[in-house]
Amino acid sequence: MAERERPAVVERGGTVARIESALVEDISTGALAPGEHLDEVGLSERFAVSRTPVREALSRLTAQGILVQGKKRGVRVAEYSPEQLAHLFEVMHEIEVACARIASQRMTLLSRAEIIEKQDICLMAAEAGDLRAYLIANERFHEAIYRATGNPYIVEIASEFRRRTGPFRSRRFATKEDLLGSAQSHKILIDHLFSEDSKVASDGMRHHMANSYLTVLRANLV
Amino acid sequence: MAERERPAVVERGGTVARIESALVEDISTGALAPGEHLDEVGLSERFAVSRTPVREALSRLTAQGILVQGKKRGVRVAEYSPEQLAHLFEVMHEIEVACARIASQRMTLLSRAEIIEKQDICLMAAEAGDLRAYLIANERFHEAIYRATGNPYIVEIASEFRRRTGPFRSRRFATKEDLLGSAQSHKILIDHLFSEDSKVASDGMRHHMANSYLTVLRANLV
DNA sequence: AAACTGCATTTTGCATGCAAAATAGACTCA
DNA sequence: TGAGTCTATTTTGCATGCAAAATGCAGTTT
């Protein structure tokens, strides 16, 4: 066996959950690129386990649409044509706008604090120019907004689509300025979300998402 | 081993997919009730396979939220408190309304035909008083609407939530009149969907879903 | 009778084994 | 040289095996 990855923290849920979240992180940060083939044996060596839990993790990720099965064999990171990408973002768009509308209606002091805190972390990562940290912090920021809806199933579904679009959004960020710009636009978004008018909030998110999509398109279609 | 279930048709995708879809159907038709415990060994006997593919199917369904893991061991059909059910329906509501709006904007002749065809099948099942057939036909009807959006990811996500709420919606239907009533309200919904005004369509769906939720509440909270 | 303890049983999580499908490579023949 | 096919190797899908965790249960103690 080759070098092995030791669990930094023993996560609850056991081996499968550990593999699954490691892969999700690799994918959402772009360490695993769309279309990249995942080898069962290779992964079982990397995580120092047998193929069985690896297969289970891959199967779960496939069920969530994060991975796809190749034509005849193998499993790969999902990749999307421009048209598919547009469809994916259309769904994201709908979900996020609904989220913003609902969240703004139910915003509590706690939710506000959480959102602001995550935004601070984003800002720190952006200022440090740490892409990987920023991507993770950005996820957390948006998840805080989802949680502000008070609806755990919205959190689930919105996070799922965010993960699926992760690899494409990660390409937006080439320079430190890109990160700072993104963190900056979070600030504006927050102002809208904290407004007491749910239409202001959802329109703010609509604008944010449309912008984001344009940038993604530019980064992925050149 | 006890009596075994033979595959009526050899479905593509192999053993795991077969088990998965059989379980999904059992759950959405109420044959497997919320909270019911699923036994790996029992299922492996029922499908005449080893525990490995059963485990994989269960794991995939758990990843989709259709099943949940018990506190310490075992896996069960997800069950929801009234509050959780409300949250689930809130998501369904948002998705279906967005669906209706988008579908009405993109409706093609083919989509129209498909929706009408599925509705006919619903009507036939209702008139026959066949609950199980109606539940399946009803799924197909709504899926036809999802497909009319032209967005495969909307189909995916909407179907997922429809499956999750399946067990609760199935309780709405006690008599043949319930089935006919539901099929009747489809007709009204179709009229709205086929309108050229997307607001009419989404409001029609909003109304349909609100109604549906009320009925479900009544059937599940007594 | 309630609570605790220890043992037997069931259930789970993962490893390993094996046969069939899929692919790549070598070889043949035109 | 190129197309075809035959074999060797890899990869996959599932079965089986095994050890550890969880549960139930009986017996004991207070």
Side-chain angles (χ1 to χ4, degrees):
Chain A
M1 295 212 185
E3 74 243 60
R4 296 173 169 195
E5 182 166 342
R6 228 166 335 179
V9 184
V10 177
E11 292 168 60
R12 75 188 179 110
T15 314
V16 174
R18 178 165 58 92
I19 297 170
E20 201 179 336
S21 60
L23 291 179
V24 165
E25 198 182 295
D26 284 353
I27 292 169
S28 69
T29 59
L32 276 169
E36 197 155 330
H37 176 86
L38 291 171
D39 175 41
E40 287 182 6
V41 176
L43 290 172
S44 69
E45 283 169 2
R46 167 176 164 195
F47 293 105
V49 295
S50 78
R51 278 174 49 231
T52 307
V54 170
R55 277 180 65 78
E56 199 174 314
L58 294 181
S59 186
R60 291 175 63 99
L61 292 171
T62 303
Q64 295 170 61
I66 298 174
L67 303 178
V68 294
Q69 295 184 202
K71 190 165 52 70
K72 280 295 173 184
R73 95 180 172 193
V75 66
R76 296 171 325 203
V77 180
E79 56 189 338
Y80 303 99
S81 69
E83 196 187 1
Q84 290 176 311
L85 203 55
H87 280 147
L88 214 46
F89 269 83
E90 179 176 54
V91 179
M92 276 268 292
H93 181 97
E94 294 289 340
I95 295 173
E96 298 263 353
V97 168
C99 250
R101 174 165 38 76
I102 296 173
S104 80
Q105 287 165 353
R106 299 190 191 152
M107 191 70 69
T108 65
L109 199 55
L110 182 62
S111 309
R112 284 175 123 93
E114 211 188 346
I115 292 173
I116 289 174
E117 187 205 330
K118 302 303 177 192
Q119 157 66 355
D120 283 347
I121 299 176
C122 282
L123 207 56
M124 278 165 50
E127 278 166 358
D130 185 341
L131 173 62
R132 186 185 178 82
Y134 184 79
L135 288 171
I136 293 174
N138 190 34
E139 300 275 311
R140 302 268 191 283
F141 170 73
H142 279 270
E143 271 179 17
I145 297 177
Y146 306 151
R147 265 197 300 279
T149 63
N151 187 325
Y153 307 109
I154 294 186
V155 178
E156 216 177 83
I157 191 185
S159 302
E160 184 183 317
F161 271 82
R162 186 149 277 273
R163 278 195 292 273
R164 289 173 73 166
T165 53
F168 303 95
R169 284 181 290 101
S170 78
R171 292 196 191 154
R172 290 172 52 186
F173 304 116
T175 68
K176 180 175 166 181
E177 277 63 44
D178 293 334
L179 300 184
L180 285 170
S182 168
Q184 213 36 251
S185 84
H186 280 180
K187 267 189 95 166
I188 299 170
L189 176 60
I190 287 179
D191 282 342
H192 288 132
L193 283 176
F194 287 180
S195 124
E196 302 195 351
D197 184 344
S198 70
K199 184 151 179 14
V200 171
S202 58
D203 283 350
M205 182 61 92
R206 202 182 306 279
H207 187 261
H208 181 71
M209 289 302 292
N211 243 9
S212 165
Y213 176 54
L214 280 181
T215 325
V216 167
L217 267 193
R218 238 170 275 147
N220 285 281
L221 299 182
V222 276
Chain B
M1 294 210 186
E3 74 241 63
R4 297 173 167 195
E5 182 167 333
R6 227 168 334 180
V9 182
V10 177
E11 292 169 61
R12 73 187 182 109
T15 313
V16 174
R18 177 165 59 90
I19 298 171
E20 202 179 335
S21 60
L23 291 178
V24 164
E25 199 182 293
D26 285 353
I27 292 169
S28 69
T29 60
L32 275 169
E36 197 155 332
H37 176 86
L38 291 172
D39 175 40
E40 287 181 6
V41 175
L43 290 172
S44 69
E45 283 168 4
R46 167 176 164 196
F47 293 104
V49 295
S50 77
R51 278 174 47 230
T52 309
V54 171
R55 277 180 64 79
E56 199 173 313
L58 294 181
S59 185
R60 290 175 64 100
L61 292 171
T62 303
Q64 293 171 63
I66 297 173
L67 303 178
V68 294
Q69 296 184 202
K71 190 165 52 70
K72 279 298 173 183
R73 95 182 171 193
V75 66
R76 295 170 325 199
V77 181
E79 56 189 340
Y80 302 99
S81 69
E83 196 188 1
Q84 290 177 311
L85 203 56
H87 279 145
L88 214 45
F89 269 83
E90 178 175 53
V91 179
M92 276 268 291
H93 180 97
E94 293 289 340
I95 295 174
E96 298 264 352
V97 168
C99 249
R101 175 165 36 78
I102 297 172
S104 81
Q105 286 165 353
R106 299 188 191 155
M107 191 72 67
T108 65
L109 199 57
L110 181 63
S111 310
R112 284 175 123 94
E114 210 188 347
I115 291 173
I116 289 174
E117 188 205 329
K118 303 301 177 195
Q119 157 68 354
D120 283 345
I121 299 176
C122 283
L123 207 55
M124 280 166 49
E127 278 166 359
D130 185 342
L131 173 62
R132 187 185 175 81
Y134 184 79
L135 289 170
I136 293 174
N138 190 34
E139 300 274 310
R140 302 267 191 283
F141 170 73
H142 279 271
E143 270 180 18
I145 297 177
Y146 306 151
R147 265 197 301 279
T149 63
N151 187 327
Y153 307 108
I154 293 186
V155 178
E156 214 177 84
I157 191 183
S159 302
E160 183 183 316
F161 272 82
R162 186 148 277 273
R163 278 195 292 274
R164 289 173 73 167
T165 54
F168 304 95
R169 283 181 290 102
S170 77
R171 294 195 191 155
R172 291 173 50 185
F173 304 116
T175 69
K176 180 176 167 180
E177 277 63 44
D178 293 335
L179 299 184
L180 284 170
S182 168
Q184 215 33 253
S185 85
H186 281 180
K187 266 188 95 167
I188 299 170
L189 177 59
I190 288 179
D191 282 342
H192 289 132
L193 282 176
F194 288 180
S195 122
E196 302 197 349
D197 185 344
S198 69
K199 184 153 179 15
V200 171
S202 58
D203 283 349
M205 182 61 92
R206 201 182 305 280
H207 187 260
H208 181 72
M209 289 302 292
N211 243 10
S212 165
Y213 176 53
L214 280 181
T215 325
V216 167
L217 266 193
R218 238 171 274 147
N220 284 282
L221 299 183
V222 276

